[in-house]
Amino acid sequence: MDAILSLAADNLLSPIILSFVLGLAAAYARSDLSVPEAVAKGLSLYLLFAIGFKGGASVAAHGIDQTLILSLVAGLVLSFSIPVVAFGLLRVMSGLDTVDAAAVAAHYGSISIVTFVAGSSVLTSAGLEGEGYMVAVAAVMEAPAILSALWLIARSGASRAMDGELMREVMLNGSIVLLVGAFLIGWITGADGLAQIESFIVAPFLGVLCLFLLDMGLVAGRGLRQSARLLTPGLLLFGVVMPLIGSLAGLAAGMLIGLSAGGVSLFMILAASASYIAVPAAMRVALPEANPSIYLTLSLGVTFPFNLTLGIPIYLATARIATGG
């Protein structure tokens, strides 16, 4: 417990967390501080490209082996199955209807790439490194949760059935295309390609992440201020309990595959995170009747801050204990 609290304290004082807190505080204080939408979009594009490219270069250096394949398969299974668990919990804990519960569940089966990056930074500062190909696992975990949620409501006849056009819209979501595309470029060009653009995607990365988290703090703060009445005690509890349940699934997967302590930590972080970029965009198309004030505020305003402040230190400490790392 002392180790978890110490790591949490260090994490809270890191520039990326304090940038998020600044945005959150500014939003609650009703400051006119804002990040222009075009700039926020540019920051997001940069982060997705840098993350994907570095992950692809890591796979090129590592090579394709059984551990990589098993990790990808495990990521797919988790992304399909976690929404089913989340859906059942939501129906019991919150009383949401089928459509809203499925929309929220999709967010928790998919991943938050920024939580993943923040976790990677914490690991590095703690002297640990995860397997470089974990970004490939993050990429494959983006979309399956959306399909799983659509299946949950299609079987109830509550909304639009899955069809070819909907599948195309989901799979060609911009964040998925950029992350996978950058990953492939990094994989093809390898270490030489990384060396050519290292000054662009490595050195400025944390600074760009700080600005992005400042914007996320502003968005989360405004969402909480405007939609707090929609977050019942059951939903708030779900927003904290579900990441812990997801992290245990990630722990089991990482241990069964035989990943390092850092790799297990990243698997836990991925399974515990909740999407607020790819899935909301897909839900606007697939489930326009679902309430975005519920699913976006819960994932970005409750689970995201929890993971940044307390979740990541808990997952890292648990992975260390479980692996002896």
Side-chain angles (χ1 to χ4, degrees):
M1 181 57 70
D2 289 342
I4 294 176
L5 293 176
S6 176
L7 186 57
D10 292 340
N11 192 36
L12 287 170
L13 295 177
S14 68
I16 57 176
I17 303 300
L18 292 177
S19 297
F20 179 82
V21 172
L22 173 60
L24 201 67
Y28 265 101
R30 301 180 186 271
S31 167
D32 63 356
L33 174 64
S34 66
V35 177
E37 185 177 350
V39 174
K41 182 66 175 178
L43 296 174
S44 175
L45 292 174
Y46 171 87
L47 291 174
L48 288 168
F49 182 84
I51 294 161
F53 193 99
K54 288 187 287 186
S58 296
V59 170
H62 179 272
I64 298 177
D65 59 12
Q66 182 179 6
T67 305
L68 170 59
I69 294 172
L70 287 175
S71 297
L72 294 174
V73 171
L76 284 171
V77 171
L78 287 176
S79 188
F80 271 116
S81 58
I82 287 176
V84 178
V85 177
F87 182 80
L89 280 177
L90 282 164
R91 298 288 278 170
V92 172
M93 297 175 65
S94 69
L96 289 180
D97 62 29
T98 300
V99 173
D100 280 327
V104 172
H107 290 69
Y108 285 82
S110 187
I111 60 100
S112 161
I113 198 68
V114 178
T115 306
F116 175 79
V117 174
S120 300
S121 299
V122 173
L123 258 66
T124 300
S125 65
L128 288 178
E129 292 291 341
E131 283 76 359
Y133 56 74
M134 287 303 295
V135 70
V137 179
V140 303
M141 289 180 72
E142 283 269 22
I146 301 170
L147 303 180
S148 183
L150 294 178
W151 172 79
L152 283 169
I153 60 172
R155 63 194 291 267
S156 70
S159 188
R160 176 182 175 184
M162 287 183 287
D163 54 30
E165 182 61 23
L166 178 56
M167 286 283 290
R168 178 182 178 279
E169 291 169 345
V170 170
M171 298 307 296
L172 292 182
N173 177 274
S175 63
I176 296 175
V177 170
L178 181 55
L179 185 63
V180 173
F183 176 86
L184 291 175
I185 294 172
W187 188 10
I188 293 168
T189 59
D192 290 340
L194 181 60
Q196 292 176 37
I197 62 172
E198 184 174 10
S199 60
F200 173 68
I201 67 170
V202 177
F205 187 83
L206 286 180
V208 174
L209 181 59
C210 285
L211 288 177
F212 185 79
L213 283 173
L214 170 66
D215 182 54
M216 288 296 98
L218 290 167
V219 174
R222 289 166 185 152
L224 282 172
R225 198 181 68 219
Q226 296 168 4
S227 307
R229 60 182 178 79
L230 297 174
L231 298 181
T232 64
L235 276 175
L236 290 172
L237 182 61
F238 171 85
V240 173
V241 170
M242 191 60 217
L244 296 174
I245 294 174
S247 73
L248 292 177
L251 172 65
M255 293 293 292
L256 287 173
I257 295 168
L259 299 179
S260 65
V264 172
S265 299
L266 291 178
F267 229 131
M268 294 177 72
I269 290 168
L270 287 173
S273 63
S275 174
Y276 51 82
I277 299 176
V279 177
M283 290 299 103
R284 283 197 296 269
V285 174
L287 298 176
E289 63 272 40
N291 189 344
S293 295
I294 296 175
Y295 60 68
L296 191 54
T297 304
L298 191 60
S299 62
L300 182 57
V302 179
T303 299
F304 183 60
F306 169 76
N307 276 330
L308 282 185
T309 55
L310 296 177
I312 290 173
I314 292 172
Y315 311 144
L316 175 53
T318 303
R320 276 177 156 169
I321 293 171
T323 62

